[in-house]
Amino acid sequence: MAPKKTPLADPVKEQPSECPAQAASAEPLAPGKTTTSRRDFLKAGGMLSLSSLMGAGALMAQSDEARAAIEWAEHFQGNYRLMTPKEKAEARARLEKRYSAEYGKKVTVDGTEAQPNVLMGYALNVRKCIGCRRCVKACVAENNQSRGKEAGQNIEWIQVLKMERGEFSKEKMNQGYPEGLGIQVGGNAYSPAGTVLEGQYFYEPAAVPEKDATYMPIACMQCEKPPCVKVCPVRTTYREPDGVVVIDYNWCIGCRMCMGACPYWARRFNLTTPVLPKEEMNPVTHYLGNRPRMRGVVEKCHWCLQRTRQGRYPACVEVCPVGARKFGNLLDPESEVSLILARKNVFRLKADLNTFPKFFYFYD
Amino acid sequence: MQKLMSFAPDYFYYILKGGMKFYAWMGFLAILSAIALYGFYLQNTEGLIVTGLTSQIHDGLYFANLVFLVGVAAGAVTIVFPAYVHHHKAMHEVTVLGEMLAISAVIMVTLFVLAHMGRPDRLWHMIPFIGIYNLPGSMLGWDVLVLTGYLLLNFVCGFYFLYVKYSGGTINRKFFMPLIYVSIVWALSIHTVTAFLISTMPARPMWFHSVMPIRFIVTAFAAGPCLIILIFQIIRKNTKLWIQDEAINLLSLIITWCLGIALFLTLSEVVVELYARTEHADGLYYLMFGLHGLTRLVPWFWGSLIAMIIAFAMFLTPGIRTNYKLLPIACVLAFGGIWVEKGMALVVPGFIPTPIGEVTEYYPTMIEVMMTIGLWAMGFFILTILLKGAIGILLGEVRFGGAAKSIDSASSGKTAAYESR
């Protein structure tokens, strides 16, 4: 039980198992194969009329013919979850080609499927967090979020909420409510004292932790019963077998129902084409993870699928200077996260909503 | 078959001809629509960043109008129901006009959906078989289903009736009446599901209560007939079709009580939320008094409440209700009040504060406002066409075999008008 134990399977074992894993994961799709071919058939016929409409737009916008052809093909690809392994590989290859040309470097789009016997989990020590917000910055750098100057071009998946410590003093004893009616309710109790989920998340002090402040980092909770998945009209967001809620950015219609349904404000909308400088772009990507997004789609934290499915920690866990963030396999009783759940005082955020997050908070 | 073949040309020919007033109105609407198309182009090249939407408040003017217009569409049932269930004679004569309004309102809803979406080019992802249609899970999926059904029902009922009237046949009641009854229940369903769309999200406490569907329905049955009365009065003034007073009087009676219930439900919500004043009431508190110094919606809320109360008092007074000079004022007040209350004042505070307690405000941009006006213009464009065709058939000016005659009468009518000028 070394603290730095690889969260999932160990890398040596994982490497050779990559191909069989993909083949194995294709098996559950096999019964649906007939559906897939019918879908293709219908698509070929039914899409002709649409193609004239959308094709014109796609071609006009692109000067580069090859890029146009790729985007053209992207327009008509199906939902990633229902693709055959071959279609998935083709979709990724297409993206690799386009991204490599766009960002001027070799970009890989990984498609590693969920590994068997893995249920990812996360635990955060609220006592340890010092509010340095390095996780926020690391997340943006790792996951290719938009980082423009204008409002609406900045997307961050993690918020470290800063909450004031309350100050109870003799002077405040009579500052109750309602005042002047002869009836006294409260007093000091109306002072802020870590009011749950009412805090600032943009702050840049000279030094952290600040006096009189506590911190509460939040991000996507990867719920076991995710309200966002239920409301999605096209099933573009879904739960993967290893527990992570992902989005097929190419299938999202941008209706934003999921954003309304999320009780943790974890989802972000690409109001415009994401601003992602070439030199800052992270070329190691996953199809359901950190690959560059497009205008008009929703995105959120996916626990760095491009890392965690390769046996690495998420960027936020790696960067945390105080070790407040822990990540691992909930099905492995010896994993760090499992041990925390077994031994520490653990709670989930907004547990009353029955979303069953796999993001746990704990304190020593 | 021959009748059917000549129906379309006769119908469209009748629509196309009109006086200066008609062309000026349609031209005006067309210009506004063109501006909306430009806005739509911007939204789909620049992105929704040209609107005032943010990741905090991601549904705004478009969603608000969408919700409101579903109500207008459902409101058409206030004509159909008395006509076919209570055999109200005056209503029965003009039922088809209500169906035409329902068709236009649903088309407007579709337009606002397209404006609202981040990727309208991917709408085909929702089409069953070639895409994925998430039923029964997604409430939005249900909403699309019931709205499409309602559009089809009204289209079939409306145009079947018009066609029979045109060809001089009799209505096949075995086919027609079941559809009418289904459409009455269906009208309730569209607004119920639209209410469920937002009231099934515990993440948004302001919407998360079961009064929402009935509140939606009563406001719809108040706002819808308000628009219908205004349209009826315009029709009475500008066409030869005389809509009887009884029809208008019944509609104002329906408005009176639906508006009364709507006010009652609003006040109930205020009492329940503000008595305990939990954090879940922050949205309503923001709307009524502002939160953390942000008060942008406060005048809208009180303005709409006052407008609705004045309108209710006016409708309640028989002397005003039957005074057709004052009635339009009451209708405009009620319609405007409900538009604010059920639109912006319902949708936007749902996002204030956000689920993590952040209080931000929503500033619709010029493009958003122009888009909204333009999409309403498109809707009125379609409504004018549909109403004109329907009125022509109801008047008997368009009928099978009467095409040649009607051209003569039209040309003579035109010269007469010309001479009189």
Side-chain angles (χ1 to χ4, degrees):
Chain A
M1 284 104 287
K4 273 286 172 188
K5 195 190 170 201
T6 338
L8 307 176
D10 60 351
V12 190
K13 203 174 145 194
E14 190 161 48
Q15 234 40 28
S17 76
E18 196 174 307
C19 289
Q22 266 186 20
S25 67
E27 262 172 23
L29 284 174
K33 214 176 173 184
T34 45
T35 329
T36 316
S37 59
R38 187 182 60 193
R39 286 157 50 88
D40 286 344
F41 173 74
L42 282 167
K43 203 186 292 172
M47 281 296 105
L48 276 172
S49 50
L50 269 172
S51 65
S52 52
L53 243 167
M54 306 201 295
L59 287 170
M60 261 170 10
Q62 305 303 324
S63 52
D64 183 6
E65 247 178 68
R67 207 182 129 187
I70 288 171
E71 292 213 333
W72 174 247
E74 266 183 61
H75 264 300
F76 298 107
Q77 76 183 38
N79 179 281
Y80 190 74
R81 187 172 55 97
L82 299 179
M83 284 184 199
T84 61
K86 187 168 159 274
E87 283 171 332
K88 284 185 180 178
E90 278 169 11
R92 290 198 304 273
R94 252 195 322 261
L95 286 173
E96 284 181 348
K97 213 163 146 189
R98 177 159 73 82
Y99 291 148
S100 297
E102 236 171 274
Y103 296 98
K105 53 182 153 193
K106 176 84 189 107
V107 177
T108 57
V109 180
D110 183 26
T112 309
E113 305 274 345
Q115 304 297 309
N117 297 320
V118 172
L119 183 66
M120 295 187 188
Y122 204 117
L124 193 142
N125 190 337
V126 273
R127 287 280 281 275
K128 276 192 175 163
C129 179
I130 54 167
C132 66
R133 295 177 74 232
R134 283 197 185 112
C135 47
V136 181
K137 305 258 163 28
C139 173
V140 171
E142 168 72 26
N143 289 306
N144 292 324
Q145 275 107 314
S146 179
R147 53 204 82 165
K149 288 193 186 84
E150 263 184 75
Q153 290 179 335
N154 267 306
I155 291 181
E156 288 173 355
W157 291 347
I158 303 175
Q159 277 79 49
V160 183
L161 301 178
K162 182 178 90 174
M163 293 181 288
E164 285 172 52
R165 280 210 177 92
E167 187 196 336
F168 299 99
S169 62
K170 265 187 186 159
E171 295 85 69
K172 280 188 178 175
M173 275 308 287
N174 289 320
Q175 289 178 11
Y177 172 89
E179 278 171 37
L181 292 176
I183 307 158
Q184 193 68 44
V185 184
N188 262 321
Y190 279 99
S191 306
T195 314
V196 174
L197 293 189
E198 243 187 48
Q200 291 288 313
Y201 56 86
F202 282 125
Y203 47 90
E204 278 169 340
V208 286
E210 290 159 276
K211 197 172 163 278
D212 300 330
T214 56
Y215 302 96
M216 179 83 176
I218 57 165
C220 176
M221 301 280 153
Q222 315 292 356
C223 308
E224 279 298 87
K225 199 182 150 206
C228 52
V229 169
K230 190 167 187 175
V231 299
C232 178
V234 292
R235 288 185 191 270
T236 195
T237 185
Y238 54 95
R239 180 190 175 278
E240 283 273 282
D242 54 5
V244 181
V245 176
V246 295
I247 303 168
D248 178 359
Y249 311 115
N250 273 63
W251 191 255
C252 174
I253 61 171
C255 71
R256 311 192 283 287
M257 286 301 288
C258 54
M259 297 177 73
C262 175
Y264 306 100
W265 198 58
R267 289 174 167 257
R268 297 291 175 277
F269 185 66
N270 281 292
L271 287 162
T272 185
T273 307
V275 181
L276 180 57
K278 282 180 185 178
E279 59 277 10
E280 290 177 28
M281 191 258 173
N282 175 12
V284 183
T285 73
H286 191 285
Y287 185 94
L288 297 170
N290 64 336
R291 68 185 172 97
R293 275 77 62 187
M294 61 289 276
R295 161 182 60 78
V297 302
V298 173
E299 61 178 61
K300 67 166 193 73
C301 163
H302 45 79
W303 281 349
C304 289
L305 274 191
Q306 69 281 358
R307 287 163 152 261
T308 48
R309 288 224 173 134
Q310 306 298 336
R312 295 177 66 199
Y313 279 127
C316 51
V317 173
E318 212 168 79
V319 81
C320 182
V322 292
R325 294 172 170 268
K326 305 289 178 192
F327 180 80
N329 183 1
L330 292 169
L331 299 184
D332 173 8
E334 295 302 310
S335 74
E336 215 174 356
V337 165
S338 297
L339 292 175
I340 288 166
L341 292 193
R343 294 173 189 175
K344 303 283 186 185
N345 296 331
V346 178
F347 66 93
R348 306 206 249 208
L349 214 53
K350 298 198 182 183
D352 54 328
L353 298 183
N354 272 10
T355 51
F356 306 107
K358 288 190 294 298
F359 192 110
F360 301 91
Y361 292 90
F362 71 101
Y363 48 96
D364 300 310
Chain B
M1 197 61 214
Q2 200 198 342
K3 287 177 185 171
L4 196 62
M5 292 292 281
S6 64
F7 176 71
D10 282 359
Y11 181 77
F12 282 108
Y13 182 77
Y14 181 80
I15 288 163
L16 282 176
K17 62 180 199 214
M20 268 305 286
K21 214 164 153 189
F22 174 70
Y23 285 119
W25 167 243
M26 295 304 261
F28 171 67
L29 292 179
I31 291 167
L32 290 178
S33 310
I35 296 171
L37 282 179
Y38 176 67
F40 191 66
Y41 165 79
L42 276 184
Q43 281 191 187
N44 286 284
T45 45
E46 304 286 316
L48 286 177
I49 199 157
V50 297
T51 68
L53 300 171
T54 60
S55 267
Q56 283 86 358
I57 300 170
H58 45 78
D59 298 345
L61 215 44
Y62 301 150
F63 195 77
N65 279 288
L66 183 164
V67 167
F68 178 75
L69 281 164
V70 174
V72 172
V77 83
T78 54
I79 299 183
V80 182
F81 189 83
Y84 287 100
V85 178
H86 292 297
H87 306 288
H88 192 281
K89 208 173 150 286
M91 285 289 200
H92 198 278
E93 287 167 10
V94 291
T95 319
V96 72
L97 301 183
E99 282 155 353
M100 296 296 128
L101 175 69
I103 294 172
S104 329
V106 176
I107 293 173
M108 282 160 95
V109 170
T110 317
L111 293 173
F112 275 106
V113 168
L114 288 174
H116 169 83
M117 281 172 72
R119 301 296 303 212
D121 57 324
R122 295 182 184 169
L123 196 63
W124 65 272
H125 290 183
M126 273 191 91
I127 301 169
F129 299 112
I130 58 169
I132 302 174
Y133 198 50
N134 184 10
L135 281 187
S138 168
M139 213 40 96
L140 190 63
W142 283 106
D143 209 26
V144 171
L145 184 77
V146 290
L147 280 169
T148 315
Y150 192 63
L151 180 64
L152 286 175
L153 275 172
N154 277 288
F155 192 83
V156 170
C157 289
F159 278 91
Y160 173 71
F161 178 84
L162 288 180
Y163 174 68
V164 169
K165 198 98 180 162
Y166 164 83
S167 58
T170 48
I171 282 169
N172 178 358
R173 290 177 66 86
K174 269 185 188 152
F175 160 77
F176 189 63
M177 289 318 288
L179 282 183
I180 288 288
Y181 291 133
V182 169
S183 81
I184 289 170
V185 181
W186 207 285
L188 294 174
S189 85
I190 61 169
H191 221 31
T192 308
V193 175
T194 307
F196 286 159
L197 200 64
I198 63 170
S199 74
T200 49
M201 293 177 175
R204 310 283 171 186
M206 176 162 174
W207 300 336
F208 187 56
H209 55 78
S210 47
V211 141
M212 203 64 95
I214 190 66
R215 204 178 136 192
F216 266 42
I217 285 172
V218 289
T219 48
F221 290 178
C226 280
L227 186 62
I228 295 169
I229 288 182
L230 292 173
I231 290 170
F232 277 5
Q233 288 195 320
I234 292 169
I235 289 174
R236 293 217 299 194
K237 249 183 211 141
N238 293 287
T239 72
K240 284 176 232 153
L241 187 70
W242 185 254
I243 294 154
Q244 295 184 43
D245 287 356
E246 287 82 50
I248 294 176
N249 291 349
L250 181 61
L251 285 175
S252 15
L253 204 64
I254 293 171
I255 296 169
T256 311
W257 295 115
C258 285
L259 196 57
I261 299 170
L263 282 167
F264 176 80
L265 292 176
T266 303
L267 293 177
S268 306
E269 197 185 337
V270 168
V271 171
V272 170
E273 294 291 322
L274 295 193
Y275 183 82
R277 184 64 185 91
T278 64
E279 283 202 10
H280 289 181
D282 274 358
L284 188 66
Y285 197 84
Y286 164 78
L287 180 64
M288 293 177 74
F289 311 108
L291 207 59
H292 291 284
L294 301 180
T295 55
R296 205 172 148 77
L297 276 179
V298 174
W300 289 91
F301 172 80
W302 292 104
S304 88
L305 192 66
I306 290 165
M308 282 166 73
I309 289 172
I310 293 173
F312 181 56
M314 287 175 82
F315 275 113
L316 213 49
T317 319
I320 299 176
R321 195 164 65 219
T322 48
N323 179 339
Y324 295 150
K325 288 228 162 59
L326 292 175
L327 186 61
I329 300 171
C331 286
V332 168
L333 281 175
F335 189 80
I338 293 169
W339 181 76
V340 172
E341 200 215 18
K342 198 158 87 186
M344 291 284 278
L346 179 74
V347 171
V348 176
F351 300 101
I352 304 168
T354 68
I356 64 164
E358 191 180 1
V359 182
T360 59
E361 286 204 306
Y362 168 61
Y363 295 88
T365 59
M366 202 50 173
I367 291 172
E368 230 171 332
V369 173
M370 293 313 289
M371 273 282 277
T372 304
I373 294 171
L375 294 182
W376 272 89
M378 274 187 211
F380 278 120
F381 193 93
I382 296 163
L383 180 65
T384 312
I385 288 175
L386 290 177
L387 286 180
K388 188 157 192 268
I391 290 168
I393 291 170
L394 283 181
L395 286 174
E397 286 179 1
V398 191
R399 61 171 184 272
F400 181 63
K405 218 188 276 173
S406 73
I407 289 170
D408 285 348
S409 67
S411 55
S412 62
K414 224 176 238 168
T415 46
Y418 186 72
E419 277 162 8
S420 73
R421 239 171 249 167

